[in-house]
Amino acid sequence: MSRLFTPLTLRGITLPNRIVISPMALYCAEDGCATPFHFTHLTSFATGGAGLIFTESTKVERRGMGSFGDLCLWNDAHVEALRPITRAIKLAGAIAGMQLNHSGRKARSQRPWEGFGPLQGSDEDLWPVIAPSAISHGEGWATPREMTIEDIREVIDMWVASTRRAVDAGFEVLEIHGAHGYLIHQFLSPKANQRTDQYGGSLENRLRFALEITEAVRAVWPEHLPLFFRVSATDAAGWELDDTVKLAAALRARGVDVIDCSSGGMATRSPTASGQTLAPGYQVPYAERVRHDTGISTMAVGLITEPDHAEEILGEGRADLIAIGREALYDPFWARHAARSLGVEKDFSGWPVQYAWWLNRRARAGNSIAR
Ligand SMILES: Cc1cc2nc3c(=O)[nH]c(=O)nc-3n(C[C@H](O)[C@H](O)[C@H](O)COP(=O)(O)O)c2cc1C
């Protein structure tokens, strides 16, 4: 029996299979609102059979914006633009997931294809940058203003307000983005966080911001809906897998259901833009260790492109969910094609009837390639 196509119940939600579309920024929102391209992008994965589809990193406030094209969720227009997308995903039998984020000191960035470097301009031309400490991400990046305790309270309130809006917009899974060198990761990091108050110094203090956001979000995110948290399990800048295990245990105690195990983004611009050759499933060991040591469910991500490989990861108990990123850009119907290649679907009956009727008829007539 296929593990990849075994449903998974998390709290009151049942994912129809273990295939998740990983959050992928499109950098083309208009005033923070989803566009027709977001609709096409996200809903095609639902038509394509994935069980859970995450939006890209969606910002809780203006100061947290990465680029001008970021998706945002702090006003009613943002909610209205997302609603048709969640509705279409649900009608297709999939679950819509929202990833919330704040860029912190990595705010004000060019789009990848425009250089991926820092935008040049003043706070007035662009937007102010805040972070745990007044240390820039790197050469050319804005030096952030160190957040006061009031700023911390205010940003937590923004997360809460966006969480409420995510419910309103129809999302049924929420992911807190605690990875890739963004604000939450900056607080976790001994490199980016040099504070001397209760939010800096010891590991316990550096975890505080992540845990306070999680508690505040969990308090307003409905009890029956699952909460995910994305970590950079290691970051080549002082954050180690042992730290992630401790964080995961603390998150589990606060009602997080799944740890999404990514890596990097603190020392580098992006975990995927480094251009290095990486092995398939290079981050699976992180999902395996967190799952094994804490008992929490995990999601594996990173160069998992073959259905057999995904099946093996789940079968060996190394993760509970498989996230697909770039391969889904190449093939938005990855899940349906996986079902056929694994022998889970012998015909097209699991496909939308608008397609299935024609494809089955073509197959019966012997006019299709056997895939
Ligand atoms: C175009 C693109 C945009 C991305 N945007 C996000 C994002 O918004 N939030 C996030 O957590 N990760 C983001 N990532 C990372 C992916 O979610 C995923 O972790 C990474 O691509 C590795 O998986 P893959 O090898 O299957 O692509 C992005 C990746 C790509 C390719």
Side-chain angles (χ1 to χ4, degrees), residues 13 43 46 53 84-96 170-172:
I13 294 292
T43 60
I53 296 138
I85 297 177
T86 58
R87 182 165 178 269
I89 288 175
K90 196 167 185 154
L91 282 172
I95 304 289
F171 290 93
E172 295 184 296

Side-chain angles (χ1 to χ4, degrees), residues 22-25 57 99 177 180 230 272 301-303 324-326:
S22 207
M24 283 184 283
S57 151
Q99 186 191 52
H177 195 343
H180 300 172
R230 178 165 261 203
T272 46
V301 63
L303 285 179
I324 308 290
R326 289 161 292 180

Side-chain angles (χ1 to χ4, degrees), residues 268-290:
T268 54
R269 174 67 189 81
S270 143
T272 46
S274 60
Q276 296 162 270
T277 304
L278 295 165
Y282 60 100
Q283 295 171 141
V284 175
Y286 308 143
E288 179 177 18
R289 169 83 191 283
V290 170

Side-chain angles (χ1 to χ4, degrees), residues 43-213:
T43 60
S44 65
F45 302 131
T47 314
L52 169 61
I53 296 138
F54 274 110
T55 63
E56 66 197 69
S57 151
T58 302
K59 302 309 179 314
V60 301
E61 67 146 331
R62 185 161 177 270
R63 289 178 300 186
M65 281 173 66
S67 79
F68 275 109
D70 280 17
L71 205 57
C72 302
L73 192 48
W74 69 75
N75 66 34
D76 293 346
H78 298 151
V79 174
E80 291 311 319
L82 287 164
R83 231 193 280 278
I85 297 177
T86 58
R87 182 165 178 269
I89 288 175
K90 196 167 185 154
L91 282 172
I95 304 289
M98 160 59 58
Q99 186 191 52
L100 288 179
N101 192 21
H102 188 300
S103 298
R105 69 180 193 173
K106 278 176 91 172
R108 300 192 347 196
S109 162
Q110 296 164 329
R111 294 178 172 92
W113 49 89
E114 289 169 351
F116 225 1
L119 287 170
Q120 300 305 325
S122 65
D123 284 4
E124 290 69 39
D125 300 335
L126 302 166
W127 50 95
V129 182
I130 55 170
S133 299
I135 305 168
S136 78
H137 177 62
E139 210 185 317
W141 291 81
T143 301
R145 179 172 65 71
E146 178 172 314
M147 289 167 74
T148 62
I149 297 294
E150 291 69 45
D151 290 324
I152 290 175
R153 299 274 158 271
E154 197 187 339
V155 169
I156 293 174
D157 287 347
M158 305 286 193
W159 278 82
V160 168
S162 292
T163 300
R164 289 203 167 100
R165 289 199 152 93
V167 179
D168 196 20
F171 290 93
E172 295 184 296
V173 171
L174 184 73
E175 176 165 277
I176 297 173
H177 195 343
H180 300 172
Y182 297 114
L183 186 63
I184 292 178
H185 186 182
Q186 289 159 29
F187 270 89
L188 297 173
S189 161
K191 183 178 174 216
N193 180 352
Q194 309 262 306
R195 299 176 74 93
T196 53
D197 62 4
Q198 68 269 37
Y199 289 95
S202 66
L203 178 65
E204 189 190 349
N205 282 355
R206 284 181 281 117
L207 296 189
R208 195 176 309 280
F209 183 66
L211 300 182
E212 287 183 358
I213 286 188

